[in-house]
Amino acid sequence: MVNIHIKSSTDNKFTVDVDLSITVADFKNVLAERGTIPADQQRIIYSGRILKDHQTLAELNIQEGHTVHLVRGSAPPPPPPSSEQVPNPTNMPQGIPGMPNNVQQMMNDPMMQNILNSPMVQNMFDNPELLRGMIMNNPEMRAVLEQNPEMAHVFNDPRVLRQTFDMMRNPELMREMMRNADRAMLNVENHPEGFNLLRRMYTNVQEPLMNAANQSSMNQTNSNTIPSNSDPNPNSSPLPNPWSSTPASNTGTGNTTLPQSSSSSSTSPQPSTTTPNPNAAANPFASMFANMGGNSGGASSNSPNPNTSNPLNNMFAGMGGMGGMGDMGMGGMNAAQISEYLNNPMIQTYMQQMASNPQMLQQMIESNPQTRRLLEANPQMRDMISNPEFLNMFSNPQNIQAMLQMQQAMGTLQNNGMFGGNNSPSGMGGFGGFGGMGGMGGFGNMAGMGNMGGMGGMGGFGGMGGFSNPQSGQQSQETPEQRYQIQLTQLEELGFLDRQANIVALTATNGNINDAIDRLLR
Amino acid sequence: MSGAATLLLKKQLAELNKHPVEGFSAGLSDDGNFFEWQIMIVGPPETPYEGGIFNATLSFTAEYPVKPPKMKFTTEIWHPNVYKDGVVCISILHEGEDIYGYEKSNERWSPVHTVESILVSVISMLSSPNDESPANIDASNEWRKDREAFNKRVKRLARKSLDCL
């Protein structure tokens, strides 16, 4: 609950205590009780805008102590069905849980736009029948559609499909949608529970991880510039298991389903030296991910660099590799989107279903030639997928969120120059990793509006994880004060006088002065 | 690396979110673009504008704060100092010396002005038009010669502004 101040044109000022997850429409009802303006005549103004009823306060980035203006407008005529939002004449049912959101989120990804604009996909869009065929060929998708008549309607009507795609291609609309998505990303953080969750995650996961990383990077020599097929990693001490403190980690699984050393370079077109993981036993998760990374990351990423030595790195590269399970659609989404995605009840149900019925997932994978190939090449992965426990693990939102957090932590570590050069996109790999998440991906197919059905390979993006630029940064030897000299001066000129805080902020944001200011102002 | 303009504007935005100012609400038109602001001005009480909500945009350039932004009402508004296309003409948004000598240089643009100070000036302009340097001659004449008709027209537009929300 947060306090929001209301400046009303008629009732003067007052303060209400609300939950940020409520929509503007609910908020108006709260205000109607406190003031004299009936909800349908309220116009709430925040940040230079009139708030729309369907938005949630969190989406709008309203925060504790902020003030909104309230004025009386005229009573509205019965509103035309969401015409101001999506000029889609058929008024695509907002009621499909998760759907509009997911489409928007997908659009947020420049990668996605590229894909959408590629001639092949355009072609596909021009032929909705084809797309529909693709979707209907998948027995599981069909089952899902049968369970969700609304959705079936969307897919069965080529006209609707076409309109949807036109909408996606329209840059104007897309921008609007992307803006919404930006806001949505703040949700997790702004939502009071979400914030707690993040905080919990921070203490449970990020800190141990940081410690672990610190340790291992100290142990690490610079041997990772030599691409070799042997294990170049001198770090043989087990990594502290960052998962040990997370409440819901089903740690048994990794060990039982997976051979511990990864032997996967056979599938990879490049010499992918997945480190035989010395701490497999100590950290089943790490080993699991490393394995997967080896299996699929190598295969899908075409990584020019061998996966290098740091086990942590490796682990995440591995997660990236999971994206390579291909076709799973979620690749490239960012953390907040994913957690939103995961909190969507429909997805949870779907994932539970999936978890309780491994065959379903298998079928889904089998019906996709790409993933099938992948699986055939990687029997380990097949084992993993058919293990219900493993799926369970992924269907536990806490686990997934914890993983997300780890990825973010990785991103931070990497930004801070802890792992190699500035531009190594290994953080990205982590994200892509989620693409792979078994059942979820399958949902990705559907929820993203058929996530453009056979858009295949998108998840493969995750393979980027394989890249970890092995040049350990020189810069980490400079003090932040030296490194961010210019930014520090700039901050001081702008009136941020606490030098220590400035340094901390700049370090945390890798010298990005805008982000640093954001932090300082928070 | 973005320039000082972005940083200053960013700071102002954060301030305005934390400590909003009576009479207007300001935010970015486009998330991430600190040069284009979206403004909503609440018609000041005890003026004919009362009850209206007026949308405006404030467009900065990278030369801010050396150069002033441009302000334009996107809601139809009837005011001696607002052009018919909505562009606001007030002295503090003008640079340098006024060649016509109407505006003293200390009333003109100065780098100390912020979104807040600009909007406070605009709101005060709504309450007390300056008919010495009119932008909308018709409105200015009506304001001077037929205040009743002027007020009536303003009130009609204020009501209309709510319908457009």
PDB file of all heavy atoms in Angstrom, chain A residues 21-22 35 43 84 90 93 104 127 135 174 186 209 214 263 308 325 327 336 345 422 426 461 465 509:
ATOM      1  N   SER A  21      -1.282  -2.136  -7.575  1.00  0.00           N
ATOM      2  CA  SER A  21      -1.665  -3.082  -8.613  1.00  0.00           C
ATOM      3  C   SER A  21      -3.081  -2.810  -9.127  1.00  0.00           C
ATOM      4  O   SER A  21      -3.518  -3.421 -10.088  1.00  0.00           O
ATOM      5  CB  SER A  21      -1.578  -4.503  -8.075  1.00  0.00           C
ATOM      6  OG  SER A  21      -2.449  -4.624  -6.973  1.00  0.00           O
ATOM      7  N   ILE A  22      -3.794  -1.898  -8.479  1.00  0.00           N
ATOM      8  CA  ILE A  22      -5.160  -1.656  -8.929  1.00  0.00           C
ATOM      9  C   ILE A  22      -5.143  -0.822 -10.209  1.00  0.00           C
ATOM     10  O   ILE A  22      -4.175  -0.145 -10.522  1.00  0.00           O
ATOM     11  CB  ILE A  22      -6.018  -0.953  -7.850  1.00  0.00           C
ATOM     12  CG1 ILE A  22      -5.484   0.460  -7.564  1.00  0.00           C
ATOM     13  CG2 ILE A  22      -6.066  -1.775  -6.591  1.00  0.00           C
ATOM     14  CD1 ILE A  22      -6.388   1.271  -6.683  1.00  0.00           C
ATOM     15  N   GLY A  35     -14.087  11.652  -2.188  1.00  0.00           N
ATOM     16  CA  GLY A  35     -14.421  12.987  -2.657  1.00  0.00           C
ATOM     17  C   GLY A  35     -15.869  13.070  -3.078  1.00  0.00           C
ATOM     18  O   GLY A  35     -16.694  12.267  -2.665  1.00  0.00           O
ATOM     19  N   ARG A  43     -11.446  12.773 -13.814  1.00  0.00           N
ATOM     20  CA  ARG A  43     -10.320  12.732 -14.743  1.00  0.00           C
ATOM     21  C   ARG A  43      -9.074  12.846 -13.877  1.00  0.00           C
ATOM     22  O   ARG A  43      -8.903  13.832 -13.158  1.00  0.00           O
ATOM     23  CB  ARG A  43     -10.364  13.910 -15.710  1.00  0.00           C
ATOM     24  CG  ARG A  43     -11.582  13.970 -16.565  1.00  0.00           C
ATOM     25  CD  ARG A  43     -11.571  12.893 -17.652  1.00  0.00           C
ATOM     26  NE  ARG A  43     -12.775  12.976 -18.457  1.00  0.00           N
ATOM     27  CZ  ARG A  43     -13.935  12.433 -18.109  1.00  0.00           C
ATOM     28  NH1 ARG A  43     -14.039  11.758 -16.981  1.00  0.00           N
ATOM     29  NH2 ARG A  43     -14.993  12.566 -18.867  1.00  0.00           N
ATOM     30  N   GLU A  84      -9.737   3.619 -28.515  1.00  0.00           N
ATOM     31  CA  GLU A  84      -8.592   4.500 -28.401  1.00  0.00           C
ATOM     32  C   GLU A  84      -7.312   3.700 -28.205  1.00  0.00           C
ATOM     33  O   GLU A  84      -6.225   4.196 -28.385  1.00  0.00           O
ATOM     34  CB  GLU A  84      -8.766   5.456 -27.232  1.00  0.00           C
ATOM     35  CG  GLU A  84      -8.936   4.711 -25.920  1.00  0.00           C
ATOM     36  CD  GLU A  84      -9.441   5.602 -24.824  1.00  0.00           C
ATOM     37  OE1 GLU A  84      -9.384   6.827 -25.005  1.00  0.00           O
ATOM     38  OE2 GLU A  84      -9.888   5.083 -23.802  1.00  0.00           O
ATOM     39  N   THR A  90     -12.172  -5.524 -35.005  1.00  0.00           N
ATOM     40  CA  THR A  90     -12.848  -6.664 -34.411  1.00  0.00           C
ATOM     41  C   THR A  90     -12.725  -6.676 -32.906  1.00  0.00           C
ATOM     42  O   THR A  90     -13.221  -7.575 -32.263  1.00  0.00           O
ATOM     43  CB  THR A  90     -12.276  -7.978 -34.939  1.00  0.00           C
ATOM     44  OG1 THR A  90     -10.878  -7.952 -34.683  1.00  0.00           O
ATOM     45  CG2 THR A  90     -12.536  -8.130 -36.414  1.00  0.00           C
ATOM     46  N   PRO A  93     -10.503  -9.600 -28.167  1.00  0.00           N
ATOM     47  CA  PRO A  93     -10.920  -9.706 -26.775  1.00  0.00           C
ATOM     48  C   PRO A  93      -9.766  -9.420 -25.827  1.00  0.00           C
ATOM     49  O   PRO A  93      -8.732 -10.062 -25.910  1.00  0.00           O
ATOM     50  CB  PRO A  93     -11.375 -11.158 -26.658  1.00  0.00           C
ATOM     51  CG  PRO A  93     -10.944 -11.825 -27.923  1.00  0.00           C
ATOM     52  CD  PRO A  93     -10.731 -10.786 -28.942  1.00  0.00           C
ATOM     53  N   GLN A 104       2.567  -7.130 -26.755  1.00  0.00           N
ATOM     54  CA  GLN A 104       3.265  -5.866 -26.587  1.00  0.00           C
ATOM     55  C   GLN A 104       4.698  -6.106 -26.174  1.00  0.00           C
ATOM     56  O   GLN A 104       5.618  -5.462 -26.654  1.00  0.00           O
ATOM     57  CB  GLN A 104       2.592  -5.034 -25.514  1.00  0.00           C
ATOM     58  CG  GLN A 104       1.290  -4.450 -25.995  1.00  0.00           C
ATOM     59  CD  GLN A 104       0.496  -3.898 -24.855  1.00  0.00           C
ATOM     60  OE1 GLN A 104       0.996  -3.767 -23.745  1.00  0.00           O
ATOM     61  NE2 GLN A 104      -0.741  -3.561 -25.109  1.00  0.00           N
ATOM     62  N   ASN A 127       0.005 -14.654 -45.522  1.00  0.00           N
ATOM     63  CA  ASN A 127      -0.725 -15.883 -45.734  1.00  0.00           C
ATOM     64  C   ASN A 127      -1.127 -16.496 -44.397  1.00  0.00           C
ATOM     65  O   ASN A 127      -0.529 -17.441 -43.918  1.00  0.00           O
ATOM     66  CB  ASN A 127       0.144 -16.854 -46.521  1.00  0.00           C
ATOM     67  CG  ASN A 127      -0.627 -18.097 -46.889  1.00  0.00           C
ATOM     68  OD1 ASN A 127      -1.791 -18.250 -46.512  1.00  0.00           O
ATOM     69  ND2 ASN A 127       0.031 -18.987 -47.607  1.00  0.00           N
ATOM     70  N   ILE A 135      -0.022 -23.821 -36.875  1.00  0.00           N
ATOM     71  CA  ILE A 135      -0.452 -23.941 -35.484  1.00  0.00           C
ATOM     72  C   ILE A 135      -1.290 -25.188 -35.283  1.00  0.00           C
ATOM     73  O   ILE A 135      -1.123 -25.929 -34.324  1.00  0.00           O
ATOM     74  CB  ILE A 135      -1.232 -22.684 -35.067  1.00  0.00           C
ATOM     75  CG1 ILE A 135      -0.286 -21.512 -35.065  1.00  0.00           C
ATOM     76  CG2 ILE A 135      -1.882 -22.879 -33.728  1.00  0.00           C
ATOM     77  CD1 ILE A 135      -0.974 -20.182 -35.094  1.00  0.00           C
ATOM     78  N   MET A 174       2.968   0.098 -32.849  1.00  0.00           N
ATOM     79  CA  MET A 174       3.982  -0.637 -32.158  1.00  0.00           C
ATOM     80  C   MET A 174       4.640   0.224 -31.116  1.00  0.00           C
ATOM     81  O   MET A 174       4.913  -0.217 -30.003  1.00  0.00           O
ATOM     82  CB  MET A 174       5.020  -1.095 -33.151  1.00  0.00           C
ATOM     83  CG  MET A 174       5.182  -2.505 -32.981  1.00  0.00           C
ATOM     84  SD  MET A 174       5.607  -3.477 -34.312  1.00  0.00           S
ATOM     85  CE  MET A 174       7.248  -3.051 -34.614  1.00  0.00           C
ATOM     86  N   LEU A 186       8.388  -1.826 -15.269  1.00  0.00           N
ATOM     87  CA  LEU A 186       8.620  -1.293 -13.941  1.00  0.00           C
ATOM     88  C   LEU A 186       7.729  -1.964 -12.917  1.00  0.00           C
ATOM     89  O   LEU A 186       7.900  -1.812 -11.716  1.00  0.00           O
ATOM     90  CB  LEU A 186       8.353   0.208 -13.940  1.00  0.00           C
ATOM     91  CG  LEU A 186       9.338   0.962 -14.816  1.00  0.00           C
ATOM     92  CD1 LEU A 186       8.830   2.351 -15.116  1.00  0.00           C
ATOM     93  CD2 LEU A 186      10.679   1.014 -14.144  1.00  0.00           C
ATOM     94  N   LEU A 209      25.814 -14.978  -4.786  1.00  0.00           N
ATOM     95  CA  LEU A 209      26.351 -15.068  -6.131  1.00  0.00           C
ATOM     96  C   LEU A 209      27.513 -14.113  -6.307  1.00  0.00           C
ATOM     97  O   LEU A 209      28.544 -14.449  -6.890  1.00  0.00           O
ATOM     98  CB  LEU A 209      25.259 -14.741  -7.134  1.00  0.00           C
ATOM     99  CG  LEU A 209      25.676 -14.947  -8.574  1.00  0.00           C
ATOM    100  CD1 LEU A 209      25.792 -16.412  -8.891  1.00  0.00           C
ATOM    101  CD2 LEU A 209      24.712 -14.272  -9.493  1.00  0.00           C
ATOM    102  N   ASN A 214      33.112 -13.085  -6.908  1.00  0.00           N
ATOM    103  CA  ASN A 214      34.321 -12.420  -6.468  1.00  0.00           C
ATOM    104  C   ASN A 214      35.425 -13.427  -6.249  1.00  0.00           C
ATOM    105  O   ASN A 214      36.547 -13.252  -6.703  1.00  0.00           O
ATOM    106  CB  ASN A 214      34.077 -11.709  -5.141  1.00  0.00           C
ATOM    107  CG  ASN A 214      33.592 -10.310  -5.396  1.00  0.00           C
ATOM    108  OD1 ASN A 214      34.009  -9.697  -6.361  1.00  0.00           O
ATOM    109  ND2 ASN A 214      32.713  -9.822  -4.541  1.00  0.00           N
ATOM    110  N   SER A 263      29.654 -33.128 -22.183  1.00  0.00           N
ATOM    111  CA  SER A 263      30.453 -33.762 -23.217  1.00  0.00           C
ATOM    112  C   SER A 263      29.862 -33.397 -24.549  1.00  0.00           C
ATOM    113  O   SER A 263      29.745 -34.164 -25.451  1.00  0.00           O
ATOM    114  CB  SER A 263      30.390 -35.251 -23.039  1.00  0.00           C
ATOM    115  OG  SER A 263      29.021 -35.598 -22.944  1.00  0.00           O
ATOM    116  N   THR A 308      34.259 -20.024 -22.140  1.00  0.00           N
ATOM    117  CA  THR A 308      35.507 -19.971 -21.412  1.00  0.00           C
ATOM    118  C   THR A 308      35.387 -20.444 -20.005  1.00  0.00           C
ATOM    119  O   THR A 308      34.427 -21.069 -19.617  1.00  0.00           O
ATOM    120  CB  THR A 308      36.095 -18.573 -21.469  1.00  0.00           C
ATOM    121  OG1 THR A 308      35.038 -17.688 -21.220  1.00  0.00           O
ATOM    122  CG2 THR A 308      36.703 -18.332 -22.815  1.00  0.00           C
ATOM    123  N   MET A 325      17.087 -24.302 -27.331  1.00  0.00           N
ATOM    124  CA  MET A 325      16.063 -25.298 -27.525  1.00  0.00           C
ATOM    125  C   MET A 325      15.110 -24.810 -28.571  1.00  0.00           C
ATOM    126  O   MET A 325      14.225 -25.505 -29.012  1.00  0.00           O
ATOM    127  CB  MET A 325      15.325 -25.582 -26.240  1.00  0.00           C
ATOM    128  CG  MET A 325      15.976 -26.709 -25.502  1.00  0.00           C
ATOM    129  SD  MET A 325      15.376 -26.791 -23.865  1.00  0.00           S
ATOM    130  CE  MET A 325      13.795 -27.530 -24.142  1.00  0.00           C
ATOM    131  N   ASP A 327      12.825 -22.086 -30.896  1.00  0.00           N
ATOM    132  CA  ASP A 327      11.432 -22.066 -31.191  1.00  0.00           C
ATOM    133  C   ASP A 327      10.595 -21.757 -29.981  1.00  0.00           C
ATOM    134  O   ASP A 327       9.386 -21.788 -30.039  1.00  0.00           O
ATOM    135  CB  ASP A 327      11.047 -23.452 -31.665  1.00  0.00           C
ATOM    136  CG  ASP A 327       9.758 -23.383 -32.424  1.00  0.00           C
ATOM    137  OD1 ASP A 327       9.484 -22.314 -32.967  1.00  0.00           O
ATOM    138  OD2 ASP A 327       9.044 -24.342 -32.430  1.00  0.00           O
ATOM    139  N   ALA A 336      11.920  -8.541 -16.436  1.00  0.00           N
ATOM    140  CA  ALA A 336      10.649  -8.108 -15.868  1.00  0.00           C
ATOM    141  C   ALA A 336       9.502  -8.692 -16.664  1.00  0.00           C
ATOM    142  O   ALA A 336       8.499  -9.130 -16.110  1.00  0.00           O
ATOM    143  CB  ALA A 336      10.579  -6.603 -15.876  1.00  0.00           C
ATOM    144  N   PRO A 345      -1.659 -16.075 -14.424  1.00  0.00           N
ATOM    145  CA  PRO A 345      -2.252 -17.336 -13.964  1.00  0.00           C
ATOM    146  C   PRO A 345      -2.374 -18.362 -15.088  1.00  0.00           C
ATOM    147  O   PRO A 345      -2.165 -19.550 -14.877  1.00  0.00           O
ATOM    148  CB  PRO A 345      -3.634 -16.932 -13.458  1.00  0.00           C
ATOM    149  CG  PRO A 345      -3.785 -15.487 -13.734  1.00  0.00           C
ATOM    150  CD  PRO A 345      -2.467 -14.917 -14.134  1.00  0.00           C
ATOM    151  N   ASN A 422      33.972  -5.003 -21.885  1.00  0.00           N
ATOM    152  CA  ASN A 422      32.738  -4.263 -21.768  1.00  0.00           C
ATOM    153  C   ASN A 422      31.624  -4.809 -22.630  1.00  0.00           C
ATOM    154  O   ASN A 422      30.487  -4.746 -22.286  1.00  0.00           O
ATOM    155  CB  ASN A 422      32.989  -2.833 -22.228  1.00  0.00           C
ATOM    156  CG  ASN A 422      33.033  -1.934 -21.055  1.00  0.00           C
ATOM    157  OD1 ASN A 422      32.590  -2.345 -19.984  1.00  0.00           O
ATOM    158  ND2 ASN A 422      33.561  -0.752 -21.228  1.00  0.00           N
ATOM    159  N   SER A 426      27.542 -11.574 -22.693  1.00  0.00           N
ATOM    160  CA  SER A 426      27.187 -12.819 -22.035  1.00  0.00           C
ATOM    161  C   SER A 426      25.960 -12.656 -21.174  1.00  0.00           C
ATOM    162  O   SER A 426      25.230 -13.593 -20.928  1.00  0.00           O
ATOM    163  CB  SER A 426      28.359 -13.342 -21.219  1.00  0.00           C
ATOM    164  OG  SER A 426      28.599 -12.474 -20.148  1.00  0.00           O
ATOM    165  N   PHE A 461      18.327 -17.262 -30.232  1.00  0.00           N
ATOM    166  CA  PHE A 461      18.995 -16.050 -29.821  1.00  0.00           C
ATOM    167  C   PHE A 461      19.763 -16.270 -28.526  1.00  0.00           C
ATOM    168  O   PHE A 461      20.824 -15.751 -28.314  1.00  0.00           O
ATOM    169  CB  PHE A 461      17.919 -15.003 -29.615  1.00  0.00           C
ATOM    170  CG  PHE A 461      18.458 -13.654 -29.323  1.00  0.00           C
ATOM    171  CD1 PHE A 461      19.459 -13.135 -30.117  1.00  0.00           C
ATOM    172  CD2 PHE A 461      17.962 -12.908 -28.278  1.00  0.00           C
ATOM    173  CE1 PHE A 461      19.942 -11.879 -29.867  1.00  0.00           C
ATOM    174  CE2 PHE A 461      18.465 -11.656 -28.034  1.00  0.00           C
ATOM    175  CZ  PHE A 461      19.449 -11.142 -28.836  1.00  0.00           C
ATOM    176  N   GLY A 465      24.632 -16.608 -25.381  1.00  0.00           N
ATOM    177  CA  GLY A 465      25.304 -16.844 -24.113  1.00  0.00           C
ATOM    178  C   GLY A 465      26.693 -17.403 -24.316  1.00  0.00           C
ATOM    179  O   GLY A 465      27.574 -17.200 -23.515  1.00  0.00           O
ATOM    180  N   THR A 509      26.242   1.629 -12.334  1.00  0.00           N
ATOM    181  CA  THR A 509      25.633   1.772 -13.650  1.00  0.00           C
ATOM    182  C   THR A 509      26.677   1.710 -14.740  1.00  0.00           C
ATOM    183  O   THR A 509      26.413   2.053 -15.873  1.00  0.00           O
ATOM    184  CB  THR A 509      24.880   3.101 -13.753  1.00  0.00           C
ATOM    185  OG1 THR A 509      25.809   4.152 -13.463  1.00  0.00           O
ATOM    186  CG2 THR A 509      23.740   3.156 -12.787  1.00  0.00           C
TER     187      THR A 509
END
